[in-house]
Amino acid sequence: MPTKALQIPTADGQADAFAAFPDRGDRHPGVLMYADGFGIRPVLREMACELAGHGYYVLVPNFFYRHGPAPVLDLPEHIGEEHRSTVFAQLMPMIEAHTAERSLSDADAYLRFLTTQPEVAAGPVAVIGYCIGGLLAMRTAAAHPGQVAAVAAFHAPAGADGPDSLSKITAQVHLGHAETDITPEALGELNQVLDDAGVSYTSEIYPGTVHGFTMSDTDAFDPAGLQRHWDRLLPLLHRTLAGS
């Protein structure tokens, strides 16, 4: 699966990124993929390539570009429990600096770039994200209701921006929660907010999972959880982007 290194013009400079897409001459529906907080690394490239193999152009930006090109952090090959405190000490200031204002400005630039690539088909796009990337995906969908047809967030604080933001989403939504991230009671409250906002969604706890379950380079990885993620994500994209 071919990948391409890219630079995305933004209001604050250039965001480095990569894209994965099928090795064919035709055009493909666009998907904006936000990484988790650990950022772009081999596992994200693998996931983007796997998704691209199903017929999508997948753009993965380094949303921490203001702090330098990816990899922004010096990560171990496997992010185990013994590394977490050191990594998070470096990570949290970058997360705190990535304000809603910055993320929305960047989302404008990412979508503008994605939809003008020669390999991307005309029509709506999808946005997916993991961990903090899931929150960014939800913000992007809320800010671009006419453009984003599907949004998926995994082990993410998907409802963190509250009912007003959720009510702006017109995309079809899937939320895959880690069992350790949300209680059944809190899930019911979130789903009620989505119901009240008129959002078309599925929202579920993935059994036996902990935060970060999709990422195979961490101790949180759960193969069954990752497969469930693909089993929910691929039909969602097919339903919403098949006509692109």
Side-chain angles (χ1 to χ4, degrees):
M1 195 63 53
T3 62
K4 181 191 296 185
L6 298 163
Q7 293 288 324
I8 303 174
T10 76
D12 291 332
Q14 297 276 329
D16 55 302
F18 78 91
F21 49 92
D23 189 14
R24 300 192 298 270
D26 49 353
R27 302 169 77 190
H28 313 282
V31 178
L32 175 60
M33 175 186 283
Y34 287 112
D36 62 353
F38 297 136
I40 294 176
R41 58 198 193 281
V43 68
L44 264 296
R45 295 181 185 277
E46 293 167 6
M47 294 173 75
C49 285
E50 180 161 353
L51 182 53
H54 292 275
Y56 301 99
Y57 180 103
V58 185
L59 177 67
V60 187
N62 168 25
F63 53 81
F64 289 142
Y65 69 90
R66 294 174 181 86
H67 304 273
V72 179
L73 299 179
D74 183 17
L75 295 171
E77 186 174 332
H78 183 85
I79 307 167
E81 193 61 38
E82 69 275 20
H83 304 293
R84 291 183 70 83
S85 60
T86 301
V87 171
F88 272 92
Q90 302 172 69
L91 183 61
M92 290 312 297
M94 293 191 292
I95 290 177
E96 290 166 359
H98 199 65
T99 61
E101 182 180 16
R102 281 184 169 183
S103 63
L104 291 173
S105 175
D106 288 347
D108 292 346
Y110 300 155
L111 289 179
R112 185 165 54 248
F113 184 89
L114 173 63
T115 55
T116 56
Q117 295 311 291
E119 302 91 352
V120 175
V125 301
V127 186
I128 64 177
Y130 305 88
C131 183
I132 183 179
L135 174 58
L136 300 181
M138 295 293 280
R139 284 178 178 165
T140 302
H144 298 270
Q147 192 170 19
V148 177
V151 59
F154 301 93
H155 46 84
D161 285 344
D164 289 345
S165 180
L166 294 174
S167 68
K168 298 173 184 175
I169 294 175
T170 59
Q172 293 188 34
V173 175
H174 175 69
L175 306 179
H177 307 281
E179 197 170 76
T180 57
D181 281 348
I182 192 168
T183 65
E185 293 75 20
L187 176 67
E189 293 170 3
L190 173 60
N191 291 352
Q192 186 60 57
V193 171
L194 292 166
D195 285 336
D196 293 344
V199 177
S200 174
Y201 74 95
T202 56
S203 174
E204 61 180 319
I205 295 172
Y206 286 23
T209 58
V210 300
H211 182 76
F213 62 82
T214 59
M215 298 296 155
S216 63
D217 62 350
T218 74
D219 284 350
F221 179 55
D222 183 90
L226 177 62
Q227 185 57 52
R228 191 182 189 98
H229 142 282
W230 290 121
D231 291 344
R232 300 296 190 267
L233 177 59
L234 293 173
L236 171 67
L237 299 184
H238 181 74
R239 287 196 307 272
T240 55
L241 302 183
S244 296

